[in-house]
Amino acid sequence: MNRPVTLVHRTSYRYDRPVSLGPQTIRLRPDATCPTPILSYGMDIQPHGHQRTWRQDDFGNHEACVTFDRKVRHFDITVRLTADLAPVPAPLHTDARPAPPVAFTQPLPAGPHLRALLAEVAGIRHPDPLARLEAINRMIAARITYRTRMEAGVWDAEETLTRQTGSCRDSAWLFIQVLRHMGIAARFVSGYLIQPDIDDATCDLHAWAQAHVPGRGWVGFDTTSGLLASQGHIPLAAALEPGQVAPVSGLLDSCNATLDVSMTLHHGDDTKITDLKGQ
C-alpha cells in the first residue's frame, strides 16, 4: 500500500548588497540507490539567469553546480520531492558488490575517552555482525544526549565523549570513528528525516552513519535514536567526512548575509511546517 508524502524544502539567502557568487554546489537530490522510493523530484533555482549542471562526485552523490553571470541580491533553492514511505521488509538478498575502498576504514587518532569506549565496545560480541553494530549504536545513543547546535562544524570524537552530548552529526561522527577503529568501513550521511505521524508530522535535515555489513552492503544507523535507518531516512549525500556532504557550499563576495530555511510536509490533507533556520 502506497504512503506518499510530499516535502517542499526552501533555502533562501539574502545579501545586503549585490554580490558575485562563485560556483555553488547543491547536494539535495537522492540518488537511484535510495532505499525509499522517490516518486517525483524537482529543484527550482532563483534568480533566473543562471546555469545549472548535474554531476556525480567521487562518492556517487548527485551534485547540482550552479553559476551566475551577474551579481545577485538573493539566492533561493526550492526542492520538491514525493516519497513513498510505505514500510517494506528488509532485503534478503546478498550484496555481491565489492567492498568499499580502504579509506572508509581509516580512523583518526584516538584520545583517552575514545580508547576507553573502544575497550567497552570490544566486550560486545554477537555472532551476527549486524546485531553487534546495532548494540554499539544503542550504546552511543544512550551515552550521548542529543542537543541542537546552531554553530557549523562537527566535534571530534573526544569532544563529544567529554561533553557526553552533541548534535546528530557529532554522534554520527563518533560512531564512524568507533567502527573505523574496529576495521569496519563506515561513512557519514546527510539527508532528510521524515516522520509522517498523523498527529505531528515533522521533517528535518539530519545526519546519520552507514556501515558496510558483509552480505548486506551499506546499512544506516541513526545514532540519535539508536535505531536502524528506516523509510523516513532519505540520504542525499554520503562521504568519508562530514564536510564533503554539506547541502550547499560555494564562495561569494564579502557581505552581510542572512539564511532562512523551511520545510513543508504534506501528508494527506495535513500540512506541517518545520522551521530549520540555523541547522
Side-chain angles (χ1 to χ4, degrees), residues 169-189:
R169 58 190 187 275
D170 300 320
S171 59
W173 188 233
L174 168 61
F175 182 69
I176 289 168
Q177 292 306 310
V178 169
L179 296 195
R180 289 180 180 175
H181 274 280
M182 297 169 61
I184 298 172
R187 63 187 184 182
F188 190 91
V189 184

Side-chain angles (χ1 to χ4, degrees), residues 94-125:
T94 298
D95 190 320
R97 288 173 293 182
V102 172
F104 287 97
T105 65
Q106 296 177 339
L108 297 173
H113 288 90
L114 180 54
R115 288 196 295 270
L117 178 61
L118 290 169
E120 289 186 60
V121 167
I124 300 176
R125 301 188 180 278

Side-chain angles (χ1 to χ4, degrees), residues 121-143:
V121 167
I124 300 176
R125 301 188 180 278
H126 198 285
D128 180 358
L130 178 59
R132 186 186 185 200
L133 295 181
E134 289 183 273
I136 297 170
N137 188 40
R138 289 193 298 269
M139 172 190 285
I140 290 177
R143 186 161 305 185

Side-chain angles (χ1 to χ4, degrees), residues 229-249:
S230 64
Q231 282 76 22
H233 292 75
I234 300 179
L236 298 171
L240 278 172
E241 301 176 1
Q244 296 168 321
V245 300
V248 183
S249 60

Side-chain angles (χ1 to χ4, degrees), residues 119-255:
E120 289 186 60
V121 167
I124 300 176
R125 301 188 180 278
H126 198 285
D128 180 358
L130 178 59
R132 186 186 185 200
L133 295 181
E134 289 183 273
I136 297 170
N137 188 40
R138 289 193 298 269
M139 172 190 285
I140 290 177
R143 186 161 305 185
I144 306 302
T145 302
Y146 173 73
R147 59 175 288 189
T148 299
R149 286 204 304 112
M150 297 301 185
E151 64 271 22
V154 177
W155 289 343
D156 62 27
E158 200 66 15
E159 182 164 7
T160 301
L161 287 170
T162 299
R163 294 174 179 265
Q164 297 185 22
T165 185
S167 66
C168 56
R169 58 190 187 275
D170 300 320
S171 59
W173 188 233
L174 168 61
F175 182 69
I176 289 168
Q177 292 306 310
V178 169
L179 296 195
R180 289 180 180 175
H181 274 280
M182 297 169 61
I184 298 172
R187 63 187 184 182
F188 190 91
V189 184
S190 173
Y192 294 124
L193 174 59
I194 301 177
Q195 302 177 84
D197 295 336
I198 296 297
D199 296 329
D200 188 25
T202 63
C203 50
D204 294 279
L205 283 173
H206 194 52
W208 61 96
Q210 288 179 344
H212 193 269
V213 181
R216 296 176 182 263
W218 290 108
V219 178
F221 296 83
D222 190 325
T223 52
T224 299
S225 65
L227 302 175
L228 292 175
S230 64
Q231 282 76 22
H233 292 75
I234 300 179
L236 298 171
L240 278 172
E241 301 176 1
Q244 296 168 321
V245 300
V248 183
S249 60
L251 300 177
L252 74 159
D253 291 342
S254 177
C255 66

Side-chain angles (χ1 to χ4, degrees), residues 3-8 30 36-42 79-85 194 234 265-266:
R3 193 182 182 187
V5 174
T6 298
L7 168 65
V8 181
T36 301
I38 305 300
L39 306 180
S40 65
Y41 179 89
V79 170
R80 293 177 175 85
L81 68 82
T82 300
D84 182 1
L85 300 190
I194 301 177
I234 300 179
L265 185 64
H266 303 269

